[in-house]
Coordinates of all heavy atoms in Angstrom, one line a residue:
M29 N -26.0 -29.3 -28.3 CA -26.1 -29.1 -26.9 C -27.5 -28.7 -26.6 O -28.0 -27.8 -27.2 CB -25.0 -28.1 -26.4 CG -25.1 -27.9 -24.9 SD -23.9 -26.6 -24.4 CE -22.3 -27.5 -24.6
S30 N -28.1 -29.3 -25.6 CA -29.5 -28.9 -25.2 C -29.5 -27.6 -24.4 O -28.5 -27.1 -24.0 CB -30.1 -30.0 -24.4 OG -29.5 -30.0 -23.1
D31 N -30.7 -27.0 -24.3 CA -30.9 -25.7 -23.6 C -30.5 -25.9 -22.1 O -29.9 -25.0 -21.5 CB -32.3 -25.2 -23.7 CG -32.6 -24.7 -25.1 OD1 -31.7 -24.4 -25.9 OD2 -33.8 -24.6 -25.4
V32 N -30.7 -27.1 -21.6 CA -30.4 -27.3 -20.2 C -28.9 -27.2 -20.0 O -28.4 -26.7 -19.1 CB -31.0 -28.7 -19.7 CG1 -30.5 -29.0 -18.3 CG2 -32.5 -28.7 -19.8
M33 N -28.2 -27.8 -20.9 CA -26.7 -27.9 -20.8 C -26.1 -26.5 -21.0 O -25.1 -26.2 -20.5 CB -26.2 -28.8 -21.9 CG -26.5 -30.3 -21.7 SD -25.8 -31.0 -20.3 CE -24.1 -31.2 -20.9
A34 N -26.8 -25.6 -21.8 CA -26.3 -24.3 -22.1 C -26.6 -23.3 -21.0 O -26.1 -22.1 -21.0 CB -26.8 -23.8 -23.4
A35 N -27.5 -23.6 -20.0 CA -28.0 -22.7 -19.0 C -26.8 -22.3 -18.1 O -25.9 -23.1 -17.8 CB -29.0 -23.3 -18.1
P36 N -26.7 -21.0 -17.8 CA -25.6 -20.5 -16.9 C -25.7 -21.2 -15.5 O -26.8 -21.4 -15.0 CB -25.8 -19.0 -16.9 CG -27.2 -18.8 -17.2 CD -27.6 -19.9 -18.1
R37 N -24.6 -21.5 -15.0 CA -24.6 -22.1 -13.7 C -24.0 -21.2 -12.6 O -23.0 -20.5 -12.9 CB -23.9 -23.4 -13.7 CG -24.5 -24.4 -14.6 CD -23.7 -25.7 -14.6 NE -24.3 -26.6 -15.6 CZ -23.8 -27.8 -15.8 NH1 -22.8 -28.3 -15.1 NH2 -24.3 -28.6 -16.7
A38 N -24.6 -21.2 -11.5 CA -24.1 -20.4 -10.4 C -23.7 -21.4 -9.3 O -24.3 -22.4 -9.1 CB -25.1 -19.5 -9.8
K39 N -22.6 -21.1 -8.6 CA -22.2 -22.0 -7.5 C -23.1 -21.8 -6.3 O -23.7 -20.7 -6.2 CB -20.7 -21.6 -7.1 CG -19.7 -21.9 -8.1 CD -18.3 -21.6 -7.6 CE -17.3 -21.9 -8.7 NZ -15.9 -21.6 -8.2
V40 N -23.2 -22.8 -5.5 CA -24.1 -22.8 -4.3 C -23.7 -21.6 -3.5 O -24.5 -20.9 -2.9 CB -24.0 -24.1 -3.6 CG1 -24.7 -24.0 -2.2 CG2 -24.6 -25.2 -4.4
E41 N -22.4 -21.4 -3.3 CA -21.9 -20.3 -2.4 C -22.4 -18.9 -3.0 O -22.8 -18.0 -2.2 CB -20.4 -20.3 -2.4 CG -19.8 -21.5 -1.6 CD -19.7 -22.7 -2.5 OE1 -20.0 -22.6 -3.7 OE2 -19.2 -23.7 -2.0
E42 N -22.4 -18.8 -4.3 CA -22.9 -17.5 -4.9 C -24.4 -17.4 -4.6 O -24.9 -16.3 -4.4 CB -22.6 -17.5 -6.4 CG -21.1 -17.5 -6.7 CD -20.8 -17.7 -8.2 OE1 -21.7 -18.1 -8.9 OE2 -19.6 -17.5 -8.5
K43 N -25.2 -18.4 -4.7 CA -26.6 -18.3 -4.5 C -26.9 -18.0 -3.0 O -27.7 -17.2 -2.7 CB -27.3 -19.7 -4.9 CG -27.3 -19.9 -6.3 CD -28.1 -21.2 -6.6 CE -28.2 -21.4 -8.1 NZ -29.0 -22.6 -8.5
L44 N -26.1 -18.7 -2.1 CA -26.4 -18.4 -0.7 C -26.0 -17.0 -0.3 O -26.6 -16.4 0.6 CB -25.5 -19.4 0.1 CG -26.0 -20.9 0.1 CD1 -25.0 -21.7 0.9 CD2 -27.4 -21.0 0.7
F45 N -25.0 -16.4 -1.0 CA -24.6 -15.1 -0.7 C -25.8 -14.1 -1.0 O -25.8 -13.0 -0.4 CB -23.4 -14.7 -1.5 CG -22.8 -13.3 -1.3 CD1 -22.2 -13.1 -0.1 CD2 -23.0 -12.3 -2.1 CE1 -21.7 -11.8 0.2 CE2 -22.5 -11.0 -1.9 CZ -21.9 -10.8 -0.7
Q46 N -26.7 -14.4 -1.9 CA -27.8 -13.5 -2.2 C -28.8 -13.5 -1.1 O -29.6 -12.5 -1.0 CB -28.5 -14.0 -3.5 CG -27.6 -14.1 -4.7 CD -27.0 -12.8 -5.1 OE1 -27.7 -11.8 -5.0 NE2 -25.7 -12.8 -5.4
N47 N -28.8 -14.5 -0.2 CA -29.8 -14.5 0.9 C -29.5 -13.4 1.9 O -28.3 -13.0 2.0 CB -29.8 -15.8 1.5 CG -30.3 -16.9 0.6 OD1 -31.1 -16.7 -0.3 ND2 -29.8 -18.1 0.8
R48 N -30.5 -13.0 2.6 CA -30.3 -12.0 3.7 C -30.8 -12.7 5.0 O -31.7 -13.5 4.9 CB -31.0 -10.7 3.4 CG -30.4 -10.0 2.2 CD -28.9 -9.6 2.5 NE -28.2 -9.0 1.4 CZ -27.4 -9.6 0.6 NH1 -27.1 -10.9 0.8 NH2 -26.8 -9.1 -0.5
Y49 N -30.3 -12.2 6.1 CA -30.7 -12.8 7.4 C -31.0 -11.6 8.4 O -30.2 -10.8 8.5 CB -29.6 -13.7 7.9 CG -30.0 -14.5 9.0 CD1 -30.6 -15.8 8.8 CD2 -30.0 -14.1 10.3 CE1 -31.0 -16.6 9.8 CE2 -30.4 -14.9 11.4 CZ -30.9 -16.1 11.1 OH -31.4 -16.9 12.1
L50 N -32.2 -11.7 8.9 CA -32.5 -10.7 9.9 C -32.4 -11.3 11.3 O -33.2 -12.2 11.7 CB -33.9 -10.2 9.7 CG -34.4 -9.0 10.5 CD1 -33.4 -7.8 10.3 CD2 -35.8 -8.5 10.1
V51 N -31.5 -10.9 12.1 CA -31.2 -11.5 13.4 C -32.3 -11.0 14.4 O -32.5 -9.8 14.5 CB -29.8 -11.1 13.9 CG1 -29.6 -11.6 15.3 CG2 -28.8 -11.7 12.9
D52 N -32.8 -11.9 15.2 CA -33.7 -11.6 16.3 C -32.9 -11.5 17.5 O -32.7 -12.5 18.3 CB -34.8 -12.7 16.4 CG -36.0 -12.2 17.3 OD1 -35.9 -11.1 17.8 OD2 -36.9 -13.0 17.4
A53 N -32.3 -10.4 17.8 CA -31.2 -10.2 18.8 C -31.8 -10.7 20.2 O -32.8 -10.4 20.7 CB -30.8 -8.8 18.9
G54 N -31.0 -11.6 20.8 CA -31.3 -12.1 22.1 C -32.3 -13.2 22.1 O -32.7 -13.7 23.2
R55 N -32.9 -13.6 21.0 CA -33.9 -14.6 20.9 C -33.5 -15.7 19.9 O -34.2 -15.8 18.8 CB -35.3 -14.0 20.6 CG -35.7 -13.0 21.7 CD -37.1 -12.5 21.4 NE -38.1 -13.5 21.6 CZ -39.4 -13.3 21.8 NH1 -39.8 -12.1 21.7 NH2 -40.2 -14.3 22.0
P56 N -32.4 -16.4 20.0 CA -32.1 -17.4 19.1 C -33.1 -18.5 18.9 O -33.7 -18.9 19.9 CB -30.7 -18.0 19.6 CG -30.8 -17.8 21.1 CD -31.6 -16.5 21.3
H57 N -33.4 -18.9 17.7 CA -34.5 -19.9 17.5 C -34.0 -21.3 17.6 O -34.8 -22.3 17.6 CB -35.1 -19.7 16.1 CG -34.3 -20.0 15.0 ND1 -33.3 -19.1 14.6 CD2 -34.2 -21.0 14.1 CE1 -32.7 -19.6 13.5 NE2 -33.3 -20.8 13.2
I58 N -32.6 -21.5 17.8 CA -32.1 -22.8 18.0 C -31.1 -22.7 19.2 O -30.3 -21.8 19.3 CB -31.3 -23.3 16.8 CG1 -32.2 -23.4 15.5 CG2 -30.6 -24.6 17.0 CD1 -31.5 -23.7 14.3
K59 N -31.3 -23.6 20.1 CA -30.4 -23.7 21.3 C -29.9 -25.1 21.5 O -30.6 -26.1 21.3 CB -31.2 -23.2 22.5 CG -31.7 -21.8 22.5 CD -32.5 -21.5 23.7 CE -33.1 -20.1 23.6 NZ -34.1 -19.9 24.7
V60 N -28.6 -25.2 21.9 CA -28.1 -26.5 22.3 C -28.2 -26.6 23.8 O -27.8 -25.7 24.6 CB -26.6 -26.6 21.9 CG1 -26.0 -27.9 22.5 CG2 -26.5 -26.6 20.4
K61 N -28.8 -27.7 24.3 CA -29.0 -27.8 25.7 C -27.6 -28.0 26.4 O -26.7 -28.6 25.8 CB -29.9 -29.0 26.0 CG -31.3 -28.8 25.5 CD -32.2 -29.9 25.8 CE -33.6 -29.6 25.3 NZ -34.5 -30.7 25.4
P62 N -27.5 -27.5 27.7 CA -26.2 -27.7 28.4 C -25.8 -29.2 28.4 O -26.6 -30.0 28.7 CB -26.5 -27.1 29.8 CG -27.6 -26.2 29.6 CD -28.5 -26.8 28.5
H63 N -24.5 -29.4 28.2 CA -24.0 -30.8 28.2 C -22.5 -30.8 28.5 O -21.8 -29.8 28.4 CB -24.2 -31.5 26.8 CG -23.6 -30.8 25.7 ND1 -24.1 -29.6 25.1 CD2 -22.4 -31.0 25.0 CE1 -23.3 -29.2 24.1 NE2 -22.2 -30.0 24.1
T64 N -22.0 -31.9 28.9 CA -20.6 -32.1 29.2 C -19.9 -32.7 28.0 O -18.9 -32.2 27.5 CB -20.4 -33.0 30.4 OG1 -21.1 -32.5 31.5 CG2 -18.9 -33.1 30.7
T65 N -20.5 -33.8 27.5 CA -20.0 -34.5 26.3 C -21.1 -34.6 25.3 O -22.1 -35.2 25.6 CB -19.4 -35.9 26.7 OG1 -18.5 -35.8 27.8 CG2 -18.8 -36.6 25.5
P66 N -20.8 -34.1 24.1 CA -21.9 -34.2 23.1 C -22.0 -35.6 22.5 O -21.0 -36.3 22.4 CB -21.4 -33.2 22.0 CG -19.9 -33.1 22.2 CD -19.7 -33.3 23.6
S67 N -23.2 -35.9 22.1 CA -23.4 -37.2 21.4 C -22.7 -37.1 20.1 O -22.4 -36.1 19.6 CB -24.9 -37.5 21.3 OG -25.4 -36.6 20.3
A68 N -22.6 -38.3 19.4 CA -22.1 -38.3 18.1 C -23.0 -37.6 17.1 O -22.5 -36.9 16.2 CB -21.9 -39.8 17.6
S69 N -24.3 -37.6 17.4 CA -25.3 -36.9 16.5 C -25.0 -35.4 16.6 O -25.0 -34.7 15.6 CB -26.7 -37.2 17.0 OG -27.0 -38.6 16.8
L70 N -24.9 -34.9 17.9 CA -24.7 -33.5 18.0 C -23.3 -33.1 17.4 O -23.2 -32.0 16.8 CB -24.8 -33.1 19.5 CG -24.6 -31.6 19.8 CD1 -25.6 -30.7 19.0 CD2 -24.7 -31.4 21.3
M71 N -22.3 -33.9 17.7 CA -21.0 -33.6 17.2 C -21.0 -33.5 15.6 O -20.3 -32.7 15.0 CB -20.0 -34.6 17.7 CG -18.6 -34.4 17.3 SD -17.9 -32.9 18.0 CE -17.4 -33.5 19.6
S72 N -21.8 -34.3 15.0 CA -21.8 -34.4 13.6 C -22.3 -33.1 13.0 O -22.0 -32.7 11.8 CB -22.7 -35.5 13.1 OG -24.0 -35.3 13.3
M73 N -23.0 -32.3 13.7 CA -23.6 -31.0 13.2 C -22.5 -30.0 12.9 O -22.7 -29.1 12.1 CB -24.6 -30.4 14.2 CG -25.9 -31.2 14.3 SD -26.5 -31.8 12.7 CE -26.6 -30.2 11.8
V74 N -21.3 -30.2 13.5 CA -20.2 -29.3 13.3 C -19.8 -29.4 11.8 O -19.4 -28.4 11.2 CB -19.0 -29.6 14.2 CG1 -17.8 -28.8 13.8 CG2 -19.4 -29.4 15.7
T75 N -20.0 -30.5 11.2 CA -19.6 -30.7 9.8 C -20.9 -30.7 8.9 O -20.8 -30.4 7.7 CB -18.8 -31.9 9.5 OG1 -19.5 -33.1 10.1 CG2 -17.4 -31.8 10.2
L76 N -22.0 -31.1 9.4 CA -23.2 -31.3 8.6 C -24.0 -30.0 8.3 O -24.5 -29.8 7.2 CB -24.2 -32.2 9.2 CG -23.8 -33.7 9.2 CD1 -24.9 -34.5 10.0 CD2 -23.7 -34.2 7.8
C77 N -24.0 -29.0 9.2 CA -24.8 -27.8 9.1 C -24.3 -27.1 7.8 O -23.1 -26.7 7.7 CB -24.7 -26.9 10.3 SG -25.5 -25.3 10.0
P78 N -25.2 -26.9 6.8 CA -24.7 -26.2 5.6 C -24.4 -24.7 5.8 O -23.7 -24.2 4.9 CB -25.9 -26.4 4.7 CG -27.1 -26.5 5.6 CD -26.6 -27.2 6.8
A79 N -24.8 -24.2 6.9 CA -24.5 -22.7 7.1 C -23.4 -22.6 8.1 O -23.0 -21.4 8.4 CB -25.8 -22.0 7.7
G80 N -22.8 -23.7 8.6 CA -21.7 -23.6 9.5 C -22.0 -22.9 10.9 O -21.2 -22.3 11.5
C81 N -23.3 -23.2 11.3 CA -23.7 -22.6 12.6 C -23.2 -23.3 13.8 O -23.1 -22.7 14.9 CB -25.2 -22.6 12.7 SG -26.1 -21.6 11.4
Y82 N -22.8 -24.5 13.7 CA -22.3 -25.3 14.8 C -20.8 -25.3 14.9 O -20.1 -25.4 13.9 CB -22.8 -26.8 14.7 CG -24.2 -26.9 15.1 CD1 -25.2 -26.7 14.1 CD2 -24.7 -27.2 16.3 CE1 -26.6 -26.8 14.4 CE2 -26.0 -27.3 16.7 CZ -27.0 -27.1 15.7 OH -28.3 -27.2 16.0
S83 N -20.2 -25.3 16.1 CA -18.8 -25.3 16.3 C -18.5 -26.0 17.6 O -19.4 -26.2 18.5 CB -18.2 -23.9 16.3 OG -18.8 -23.1 17.4
Q84 N -17.3 -26.4 17.8 CA -16.9 -27.1 19.0 C -16.0 -26.2 19.9 O -15.2 -25.5 19.3 CB -16.1 -28.4 18.7 CG -15.9 -29.2 20.0 CD -15.2 -30.6 19.6 OE1 -14.6 -30.7 18.5 NE2 -15.4 -31.5 20.5
T85 N -16.3 -26.1 21.2 CA -15.6 -25.2 22.0 C -14.3 -25.9 22.4 O -14.1 -27.1 22.2 CB -16.4 -24.9 23.3 OG1 -16.5 -26.1 24.1 CG2 -17.7 -24.4 23.0
E86 N -13.4 -25.2 23.1 CA -12.1 -25.8 23.5 C -12.4 -26.8 24.5 O -11.6 -27.8 24.7 CB -11.2 -24.7 24.1 CG -10.6 -23.8 23.0 CD -9.6 -22.8 23.6 OE1 -9.3 -22.9 24.8 OE2 -9.2 -21.9 22.8
G87 N -13.5 -26.7 25.3 CA -13.8 -27.7 26.3 C -14.5 -29.0 25.7 O -14.7 -29.9 26.5
G88 N -14.7 -29.0 24.4 CA -15.3 -30.2 23.8 C -16.8 -30.2 23.6 O -17.3 -31.1 23.0
Q89 N -17.4 -29.1 24.1 CA -18.9 -29.0 23.9 C -19.2 -28.5 22.5 O -18.3 -27.9 21.9 CB -19.5 -28.1 25.0 CG -19.5 -28.7 26.4 CD -18.1 -28.5 27.0 OE1 -17.5 -27.5 26.8 NE2 -17.7 -29.5 27.8
V90 N -20.4 -28.7 22.1 CA -20.9 -28.1 20.8 C -21.8 -27.0 21.1 O -22.7 -27.0 22.0 CB -21.6 -29.2 20.0 CG1 -22.2 -28.6 18.8 CG2 -20.6 -30.3 19.6
E91 N -21.6 -25.9 20.4 CA -22.4 -24.7 20.5 C -23.0 -24.3 19.1 O -22.4 -24.7 18.1 CB -21.6 -23.6 21.1 CG -20.4 -23.1 20.3 CD -19.6 -22.1 21.0 OE1 -19.8 -21.8 22.2 OE2 -18.7 -21.5 20.3
V92 N -24.0 -23.5 19.2 CA -24.6 -23.1 17.9 C -24.8 -21.6 17.9 O -25.1 -21.0 19.0 CB -26.0 -23.8 17.7 CG1 -27.0 -23.4 18.8 CG2 -26.6 -23.4 16.3
A93 N -24.5 -21.0 16.8 CA -24.8 -19.5 16.6 C -25.8 -19.5 15.4 O -25.4 -19.7 14.3 CB -23.5 -18.8 16.2
A94 N -27.0 -19.3 15.8 CA -28.1 -19.5 14.8 C -28.2 -18.4 13.7 O -28.9 -18.5 12.8 CB -29.4 -19.6 15.5
D95 N -27.4 -17.3 13.8 CA -27.3 -16.3 12.8 C -26.9 -16.9 11.5 O -25.8 -17.6 11.5 CB -26.4 -15.2 13.2 CG -26.7 -14.5 14.5 OD1 -27.8 -14.9 15.1 OD2 -26.0 -13.7 15.0
G96 N -27.6 -16.8 10.5 CA -27.3 -17.3 9.2 C -27.9 -18.7 8.9 O -27.7 -19.3 7.9
C97 N -28.6 -19.2 9.9 CA -29.3 -20.5 9.8 C -30.2 -20.5 8.6 O -31.0 -19.5 8.3 CB -30.1 -20.8 11.0 SG -31.3 -22.2 10.9
L98 N -30.2 -21.5 7.8 CA -31.0 -21.7 6.6 C -32.4 -22.3 6.8 O -33.1 -22.5 5.9 CB -30.2 -22.5 5.5 CG -28.9 -21.9 5.1 CD1 -28.1 -22.9 4.2 CD2 -29.0 -20.6 4.4
E99 N -32.6 -22.7 8.1 CA -33.9 -23.3 8.5 C -34.1 -24.6 7.7 O -35.2 -24.9 7.3 CB -35.0 -22.4 8.3 CG -34.9 -21.1 9.2 CD -36.0 -20.1 9.0 OE1 -37.1 -20.4 8.6 OE2 -35.7 -18.9 9.2
C100 N -33.0 -25.3 7.4 CA -33.2 -26.6 6.6 C -33.7 -27.7 7.5 O -34.2 -28.7 7.0 CB -31.8 -27.0 6.0 SG -30.6 -27.5 7.2
G101 N -33.5 -27.6 8.8 CA -34.0 -28.6 9.7 C -33.1 -29.8 9.9 O -33.5 -30.8 10.6
T102 N -31.9 -29.8 9.3 CA -31.0 -31.0 9.5 C -30.7 -31.2 10.9 O -30.8 -32.4 11.4 CB -29.7 -30.7 8.7 OG1 -30.1 -30.5 7.3 CG2 -28.8 -31.9 8.8
C103 N -30.3 -30.2 11.7 CA -30.0 -30.4 13.1 C -31.2 -30.9 13.9 O -31.0 -31.7 14.8 CB -29.3 -29.2 13.7 SG -30.4 -27.7 13.6
R104 N -32.3 -30.5 13.5 CA -33.5 -30.9 14.3 C -33.7 -32.4 14.1 O -34.1 -33.1 15.0 CB -34.7 -30.1 13.7 CG -36.0 -30.4 14.4 CD -37.1 -29.6 13.8 NE -38.4 -29.8 14.6 CZ -39.5 -29.1 14.4 NH1 -39.5 -28.2 13.5 NH2 -40.5 -29.3 15.2
I105 N -33.5 -32.9 12.9 CA -33.7 -34.3 12.6 C -32.6 -35.1 13.1 O -32.8 -36.2 13.8 CB -33.9 -34.5 11.1 CG1 -35.2 -33.8 10.6 CG2 -33.8 -36.0 10.7 CD1 -35.3 -33.7 9.1
V106 N -31.4 -34.7 12.9 CA -30.2 -35.5 13.4 C -30.2 -35.7 14.9 O -29.8 -36.7 15.4 CB -28.9 -34.8 12.8 CG1 -27.7 -35.5 13.5 CG2 -28.8 -35.0 11.3
T107 N -30.6 -34.7 15.6 CA -30.6 -34.7 17.1 C -31.9 -35.1 17.7 O -32.1 -34.9 18.9 CB -30.0 -33.4 17.7 OG1 -30.9 -32.4 17.4 CG2 -28.6 -33.1 17.2
R108 N -32.9 -35.5 16.9 CA -34.2 -35.7 17.4 C -34.2 -36.7 18.5 O -34.9 -36.6 19.5 CB -35.1 -36.2 16.2 CG -36.5 -36.4 16.6 CD -37.3 -37.0 15.4 NE -36.7 -38.2 15.0 CZ -36.8 -38.7 13.8 NH1 -37.4 -38.0 12.8 NH2 -36.2 -39.8 13.4
K109 N -33.5 -37.8 18.4 CA -33.5 -38.9 19.4 C -32.7 -38.5 20.7 O -33.1 -38.9 21.7 CB -32.9 -40.2 18.8 CG -33.8 -40.8 17.8 CD -33.3 -42.1 17.3 CE -34.3 -42.7 16.3 NZ -33.8 -44.0 15.7
T110 N -31.7 -37.6 20.5 CA -30.9 -37.3 21.7 C -31.5 -36.1 22.5 O -31.3 -35.9 23.6 CB -29.5 -36.9 21.3 OG1 -29.5 -35.7 20.6 CG2 -28.8 -38.0 20.5
G111 N -32.3 -35.3 21.8 CA -33.0 -34.2 22.4 C -32.0 -33.1 22.9 O -32.4 -32.2 23.7
E112 N -30.9 -33.0 22.3 CA -29.9 -32.0 22.7 C -30.1 -30.6 22.1 O -29.5 -29.7 22.5 CB -28.5 -32.5 22.3 CG -28.0 -33.7 23.1 CD -26.8 -34.4 22.4 OE1 -27.0 -35.0 21.3 OE2 -25.7 -34.3 23.0
V113 N -30.9 -30.6 21.1 CA -31.2 -29.3 20.4 C -32.6 -28.9 20.5 O -33.5 -29.7 20.3 CB -30.8 -29.4 18.9 CG1 -31.3 -28.1 18.1 CG2 -29.3 -29.5 18.7
E114 N -32.8 -27.6 21.0 CA -34.2 -27.1 21.0 C -34.4 -26.2 19.8 O -33.6 -25.3 19.6 CB -34.3 -26.2 22.3 CG -35.6 -25.6 22.5 CD -35.7 -24.7 23.8 OE1 -35.0 -25.1 24.8 OE2 -36.3 -23.7 23.7
W115 N -35.3 -26.6 18.9 CA -35.4 -26.0 17.6 C -36.8 -25.4 17.4 O -37.8 -26.1 17.7 CB -35.2 -27.1 16.6 CG -34.8 -26.6 15.2 CD1 -33.6 -26.7 14.7 CD2 -35.7 -26.1 14.2 NE1 -33.6 -26.2 13.4 CE2 -34.9 -25.9 13.0 CE3 -37.0 -25.9 14.1 CZ2 -35.4 -25.3 11.9 CZ3 -37.6 -25.4 12.9 CH2 -36.7 -25.1 11.8
N116 N -36.8 -24.2 17.0 CA -38.1 -23.5 16.7 C -37.9 -22.7 15.5 O -36.8 -22.3 15.2 CB -38.5 -22.6 17.9 CG -38.9 -23.3 19.1 OD1 -39.9 -24.0 19.2 ND2 -38.0 -23.3 20.1
Y117 N -39.0 -22.3 14.8 CA -38.8 -21.4 13.7 C -38.6 -20.0 14.3 O -39.1 -19.7 15.4 CB -40.1 -21.4 12.8 CG -40.2 -22.6 11.9 CD1 -41.1 -23.6 12.2 CD2 -39.4 -22.6 10.8 CE1 -41.2 -24.7 11.3 CE2 -39.5 -23.7 9.9 CZ -40.4 -24.7 10.2 OH -40.4 -25.8 9.4
P118 N -37.9 -19.1 13.6 CA -37.8 -17.8 14.1 C -39.1 -17.1 14.1 O -40.1 -17.5 13.4 CB -36.9 -17.1 13.0 CG -36.3 -18.2 12.2 CD -37.2 -19.4 12.3
R119 N -39.2 -16.0 14.9 CA -40.5 -15.2 14.9 C -40.7 -14.6 13.5 O -39.8 -14.5 12.7 CB -40.3 -14.1 15.9 CG -40.4 -14.6 17.4 CD -40.6 -13.4 18.3 NE -39.5 -12.4 18.2 CZ -39.7 -11.1 18.5 NH1 -40.9 -10.7 19.0 NH2 -38.7 -10.3 18.4
G120 N -41.9 -14.3 13.2 CA -42.3 -13.8 11.9 C -41.4 -12.6 11.6 O -41.3 -11.7 12.5
G121 N -40.9 -12.5 10.4 CA -40.1 -11.4 10.0 C -38.6 -11.5 10.2 O -37.8 -10.7 9.7
F122 N -38.3 -12.5 11.0 CA -36.9 -12.7 11.3 C -36.4 -14.0 10.7 O -37.1 -14.8 10.2 CB -36.7 -12.8 12.9 CG -36.9 -11.6 13.6 CD1 -38.2 -11.3 14.2 CD2 -36.0 -10.6 13.7 CE1 -38.4 -10.1 14.8 CE2 -36.2 -9.4 14.3 CZ -37.5 -9.2 14.9
G123 N -35.1 -14.2 10.6 CA -34.5 -15.3 10.1 C -34.0 -15.1 8.6 O -33.8 -14.0 8.2
V124 N -33.9 -16.2 7.9 CA -33.4 -16.1 6.5 C -34.4 -15.6 5.6 O -35.6 -15.8 5.7 CB -32.9 -17.5 6.1 CG1 -34.1 -18.5 5.9 CG2 -32.1 -17.4 4.8
L125 N -34.0 -14.7 4.7 CA -34.8 -14.2 3.6 C -34.2 -14.7 2.3 O -33.2 -14.2 1.8 CB -34.8 -12.7 3.7 CG -35.1 -12.0 5.0 CD1 -34.8 -10.6 5.0 CD2 -36.6 -12.3 5.3
Y126 N -34.8 -15.7 1.7 CA -34.3 -16.3 0.5 C -34.5 -15.4 -0.7 O -35.6 -14.9 -0.9 CB -35.0 -17.7 0.2 CG -34.4 -18.7 1.1 CD1 -35.1 -19.2 2.2 CD2 -33.1 -19.3 0.9 CE1 -34.6 -20.2 3.0 CE2 -32.6 -20.3 1.7 CZ -33.4 -20.7 2.8 OH -32.9 -21.7 3.6
K127 N -33.5 -15.3 -1.5 CA -33.6 -14.5 -2.7 C -33.8 -15.4 -3.9 O -34.4 -15.0 -4.9 CB -32.3 -13.7 -2.9 CG -32.1 -12.7 -1.8 CD -33.2 -11.6 -1.8 CE -33.0 -10.6 -0.7 NZ -34.0 -9.6 -0.6
F128 N -33.3 -16.6 -3.9 CA -33.5 -17.6 -5.0 C -33.9 -18.9 -4.4 O -33.2 -19.5 -3.6 CB -32.1 -17.8 -5.7 CG -31.7 -16.6 -6.5 CD1 -30.6 -15.9 -6.0 CD2 -32.4 -16.2 -7.6 CE1 -30.2 -14.8 -6.7 CE2 -31.9 -15.1 -8.3 CZ -30.8 -14.3 -7.9
G129 N -35.1 -19.4 -4.8 CA -35.5 -20.7 -4.4 C -35.8 -20.9 -3.0 O -35.9 -21.9 -2.5
Ligands
SF4_210 S1 -31.6 -25.7 10.6 FE1 -30.0 -26.3 9.1 S2 -28.9 -24.4 8.7 FE2 -30.0 -24.1 10.6 S3 -28.6 -24.6 12.2 FE3 -29.8 -26.5 11.7 S4 -28.5 -27.6 10.2 FE4 -27.8 -25.4 10.3

């Protein structure tokens, strides 16, 4: 067995749990623009966001809670053409603090 095969493995969830997040209260760095019916792109974020920041309201709209955002940029790219998401990096010192990689 090679050294690579013998290396201990950690689950993604375990690695993500090591990260810390500093919330910039009242200044979310990602906002969903007001809408009545979300596009398919925006709706897909409910399942695509690796941090589970997106959810659907009872009224059918999509909302985001940016706390815990990994700043991967997926939502920024997926909704680029529809313009439904306003995306900025958090202010310096806020946001995700990666512990591994
Ligand atoms: S940047 Fe990534 S982690 Fe953050 S809200 Fe968008 S998809 Fe989720």
